[in-house]
Amino acid sequence: MNVPFRLSRATEDYQASDAAHHIHAFLDQKALNAEGPRVIVRGEGLYLWDNDGRRYLDGMSGLWCTQLGYGRRDLTAAASAQMDQLAYYNMFFHTTHPAVIELSELLFSLLPKHYSHVIYTNSGSEANEVLIRTVRRFWQIEGKPQKKIMIGRWNGYHGSTLAATALGGMKFMHEMGGMIPDIAHIDEPYWYAQGGDLTPAEFGHKCAQQLEEKILELGAENVAGFIAEPFQGAGGMIFPPESYWPEIQRICRKYDVLLCADEVIGGFGRTGEWFAHQHFGFEPDTLSIAKGLTSGYIPMGGLVLSKRIAEALVEEGGVFAHGLTYSGHPVAAAVAVANLKALRDEGIVTRVKSDTGPYLQSCLREVFGNHPLIGEIQGAGLVAALQFAEDKATRKRFDNENDIAWQCRTFGFEEGVIIRSTLGRMIMAPALVAGRAEIDELVEKTRKAVDRTAQQIGRL
Ligand code: PXG
């Protein structure tokens, strides 16, 4: 029986009303209206149900965020209890509250010791908006107000608000009114597509050195920080070569450019470490966080600061003219506390590192290692990407790789699994509570979707 819950309205009815009122994210609205969106009505564990009773294994944790899966009653109870006691208060009027204090104690007990302070936001985009102002303010306090430029990467993603769009490197977003002054970009470390004849190590080093060239071009005295995702998420789940991060860190230190890691996707256990920069072994000055902080149950994000930055703001900075109505919202904080405690005390992050993560990675390599359509498998912990290739020997990609991957995603839905396509890559990032049986199901349904894609284009 696949229909544990059903709302009374017909799917077509919801779809008509949806079409009448919504502009959906990153979609051609007219085309979507013609097709009609799936109406998702319920979630439990790793599974989602639509309004017609179809069940899907959610291989993407919603949008990379539901670390604990759906339906956790401890999180809803935490929200409800906090709403009963103190539904809202702020941190403006010389006030604070226990929920946000408890959250920060917990957060900093999980973070490396050189971080001390956080500015809470409602989302990852806001965390990166706050980042730009905080970094610029830091350099003002340090007596270097001309250090204003932020360097990001082409095909990086840091959110959809104006400054976050500009920091990111999605050109089609820039072209839709998404650019501001004092932002620059360097290339992404996407070896499979752009590495040419270089080894991954040579290519990683070369990409990192672009940062040095860019800093010298702009003048180190004008550059405030470099922002990047430890591994690219929305841009295609791209893991940089091992040579990349050490060289980036060396360059940032050399020119006193702040190293800003966007941990919105990589944070909270995704790679098996609490934060993705720990997986890659570098030490950022700031961390942008969101998504897994609350397992997506309620919006919350934040900007974590190193002691160096925090000390300057606190000891020398005076008033920092910044604040959001919902910064450190008590209900969001209470949910985050329950979420982080579960991730820690149920050994979920530890298990991703020691068991379920390696299991997913080895299953994928076993099933797709010799697949005629798959040229590369990347990932760690519970995040992975499969790269489609027309010719594996030369790493030639399909001209229409976008369409092929989209078709594979659609086959996935038909097989009852939600996986994501970006350019020519299929991405999966299931909830961190996934057990081996669910990982088996994810891999098997993905195999069916990839095989059907291969059959359709005559490659199997
Ligand atoms: N930084 C990173 C690295 C992200 O992935 C944001 C910031 C912005 O967070 P908010 O909470 O403002 O959305 C993100 C968001 C996808 C997808 O399909 C990825 C995101 C959002 C929506 C879709 O991969 N990442």
Side-chain angles (χ1 to χ4, degrees), residues 33-44:
N33 292 349
E35 184 188 312
R38 281 179 187 79
V39 181
I40 303 295
V41 295
R42 179 173 179 258
E44 187 68 38

Side-chain angles (χ1 to χ4, degrees), residues 63-64 123-125 128 157-159 229 234 262 264-265 291 420:
L63 280 177
W64 321 75
S123 68
S125 299
N128 289 325
Y157 188 79
H158 302 296
E229 305 149 81
D262 187 332
V264 167
I265 280 182
K291 295 193 190 266
R420 191 190 181 301

Side-chain angles (χ1 to χ4, degrees), residues 43-201:
E44 187 68 38
L46 268 84
Y47 294 94
L48 292 167
W49 283 263
D50 70 18
N51 197 48
D52 301 304
R54 272 186 297 263
R55 191 179 84 141
Y56 305 93
L57 174 65
D58 181 3
M60 275 309 297
S61 311
L63 280 177
W64 321 75
C65 57
T66 56
Q67 319 297 74
L68 289 183
Y70 301 98
R72 287 285 302 223
R73 306 299 184 261
D74 49 340
L75 268 57
T76 51
S80 164
Q82 184 62 46
M83 279 194 189
D84 284 343
Q85 182 170 326
L86 178 69
Y88 172 75
Y89 210 67
N90 62 64
M91 299 171 77
F92 278 59
F93 296 156
H94 288 215
T95 53
T96 187
H97 56 80
V100 76
I101 289 170
E102 201 187 331
L103 170 58
S104 297
E105 285 172 356
L106 189 49
L107 181 63
F108 286 100
S109 76
L110 300 169
L111 279 162
K113 295 300 160 228
H114 61 277
Y115 300 105
S116 63
H117 283 62
V118 58
I119 300 172
Y120 288 110
T121 65
N122 304 290
S123 68
S125 299
E126 277 182 355
N128 289 325
E129 299 281 328
V130 172
L131 168 75
I132 298 178
R133 292 201 53 215
T134 306
V135 160
R136 289 180 178 168
R137 178 69 194 135
F138 168 75
W139 288 119
Q140 286 175 352
I141 297 166
E142 295 287 286
K144 298 179 180 170
Q146 73 283 13
K147 262 171 115 60
K148 280 202 308 210
I149 300 174
M150 293 293 298
I151 301 176
R153 303 185 301 188
W154 296 118
N155 201 35
Y157 188 79
H158 302 296
S160 194
T161 54
L162 178 54
T165 297
L167 279 181
M170 305 283 178
K171 286 184 183 151
F172 61 99
M173 290 176 75
H174 294 166
E175 284 159 12
M176 296 183 193
M179 201 18 99
I180 58 170
D182 293 323
I183 305 283
H185 296 88
I186 61 170
D187 285 335
E188 60 181 324
Y190 183 10
W191 175 77
Y192 200 87
Q194 295 161 16
D197 293 334
L198 300 180
T199 64

